[in-house]
Amino acid sequence: RTRFRQFFKSISYCDLISQYTKADKKLAKWAFNIVYTRGFEDGYGDVKIVPFGDYVSCIDPYLSRSREKIADSFRHNFFRRPQFNHDTNWEIQGQYDDQGNYYAYTTYDVPAGSPLRMTYTAGDSSNPSFLFARYGFLDESSPATFCKILIEPVTQELVDTGYSHERMLFYRGSGEASEEVWDVLLYKILGENNPEHQQILYAAHMIGDDDTKQALHNQYYSETLSALKSHVDGFLAELEDLSNRTVGRDRNVHPRLPIILQHNEFVKQVFLAVRENLNYK
């Protein structure tokens, strides 16, 4: 949503687009979603649409869709149920040349008749919410999910401390929070209450001084635990409110509603496990 708002605002500065088109928010959403869900990142901060590139089957850690024939793929592309298996052996890797041309090549000697698959996530199975939000698929076998802690502004120090959707995780089975969750929360708390200690924490983190880091964690443990509990309780309340808002909605008008609720239930169960674990600390 934030990216779309930024995109919609930015097109007002583009001279190549008519004023009529710039004002068409529905059209802008369509264009944004086409690029966002069908584009390939080029490694230089840009996204490009590759003709026929999307016909390569997607693979792990989230999904693998067998498409034996291009025509069959075209007819059924949006209706097949994805299969999840967390394998990391994909057959196709892509790259761009200096002119922006996209080249797809095999990663090993692929036997005749084998599927040609690529990955959108480079083997990272830690954040099913990303795949769901971007491509509309849900992997309920994922071992963890992003903790949903959002901090603004995102500074380089915050990133260095571990602020990342791929690293700040809540684990489904154990209800544990990753080390980065605790580090980032402590960094945020210290920034609001003791900037001097915040810089000591940051320096210790950067040089690998685990003793100093642990001493600060011990000193501010009650504050960090309280903040984490408050976040978990607040997010669970938000999920409950979102679910209540869907009551009575026509599924024919909102066909994506069932999988949205399924995703929210997955996240809810992870957060409940984390809350139970925190209550024992």
Side-chain angles (χ1 to χ4, degrees):
R1 185 179 295 126
T2 299
R3 288 189 178 185
F4 170 73
R5 288 172 181 167
Q6 294 170 340
F7 164 75
F8 190 62
K9 183 178 180 180
S10 68
I11 61 177
S12 64
Y13 299 99
C14 182
D15 296 332
L16 299 176
I17 302 176
S18 69
Q19 292 298 325
Y20 178 81
T21 300
K22 291 177 182 179
D24 193 335
K25 195 169 187 178
K26 185 176 181 180
L27 177 61
K29 285 184 177 180
W30 174 83
F32 177 84
N33 284 325
I34 287 295
V35 175
Y36 191 64
T37 61
R38 292 292 178 263
F40 293 85
E41 296 180 3
D42 65 1
Y44 300 97
D46 201 0
V47 176
K48 299 172 181 172
I49 293 179
V50 180
F52 289 99
D54 188 59
Y55 285 128
V56 177
S57 294
C58 307
I59 193 176
D60 325 28
Y62 299 116
L63 68 152
S64 176
R65 290 176 286 175
S66 176
R67 304 173 187 173
E68 291 77 16
K69 297 181 180 180
I70 291 279
D72 183 56
S73 171
F74 183 80
R75 289 194 299 270
H76 301 289
N77 189 27
F78 296 105
F79 303 100
R80 292 192 172 184
R81 182 178 178 84
Q83 302 297 316
F84 305 99
N85 55 34
H86 293 279
D87 187 8
T88 57
N89 296 318
W90 51 86
E91 290 79 18
I92 296 295
Q93 182 72 41
Q95 68 179 26
Y96 292 89
D97 64 14
D98 294 337
Q99 286 74 44
N101 299 306
Y102 184 84
Y103 290 88
Y105 58 90
T106 56
T107 58
Y108 62 91
D109 187 9
V110 181
S114 300
L116 296 178
R117 301 167 296 181
M118 67 184 301
T119 177
Y120 286 168
T121 54
D124 177 18
S125 63
S126 62
N127 187 13
S129 294
F130 165 78
L131 184 83
F132 174 71
R134 186 157 188 173
Y135 303 111
F137 296 103
L138 176 61
D139 177 13
E140 293 182 291
S141 65
S142 179
T145 189
F146 173 53
C147 67
K148 317 300 182 186
I149 294 175
L150 302 175
I151 301 174
E152 294 288 347
V154 179
T155 65
Q156 187 58 52
E157 283 195 7
L158 191 62
V159 173
D160 292 340
T161 305
Y163 186 75
S164 165
H165 289 200
E166 292 75 32
R167 298 169 61 190
M168 295 179 63
L169 303 175
F170 284 163
Y171 291 97
R172 185 177 60 169
S174 64
E176 291 286 345
S178 67
E179 180 181 350
E180 288 81 2
V181 173
W182 294 98
D183 287 347
V184 168
L185 267 183
L186 178 57
Y187 177 87
K188 180 178 182 293
I189 290 169
L190 292 178
E192 297 168 349
N193 300 282
N194 194 326
E196 181 181 353
H197 280 188
Q198 182 193 49
Q199 289 307 302
I200 293 174
L201 173 70
Y202 177 71
H205 178 80
M206 295 303 291
I207 65 175
D209 184 356
D210 293 335
D211 291 338
T212 299
K213 253 183 78 171
Q214 190 58 51
L216 287 168
H217 273 294
N218 292 340
Q219 182 176 348
Y220 293 95
Y221 178 72
S222 61
E223 292 90 336
T224 312
L225 179 62
S226 176
L228 189 53
K229 284 183 175 180
S230 178
H231 166 70
V232 170
D233 289 340
F235 196 81
L236 284 170
E238 288 183 28
L239 287 176
E240 186 68 23
D241 179 59
L242 289 172
S243 295
N244 292 336
R245 292 184 188 183
T246 66
V247 175
R249 294 290 182 94
D250 187 345
R251 303 299 171 91
N252 294 319
V253 178
H254 305 281
R256 301 292 295 168
L257 197 55
I259 195 171
I260 291 173
L261 291 173
Q262 189 178 348
H263 166 265
N264 290 353
E265 181 63 24
F266 172 84
V267 174
K268 176 183 176 181
Q269 293 305 317
V270 176
F271 271 65
L272 287 173
V274 173
R275 182 167 70 178
E276 182 178 1
N277 184 57
L278 292 175
N279 288 335
Y280 284 104
K281 291 185 178 293

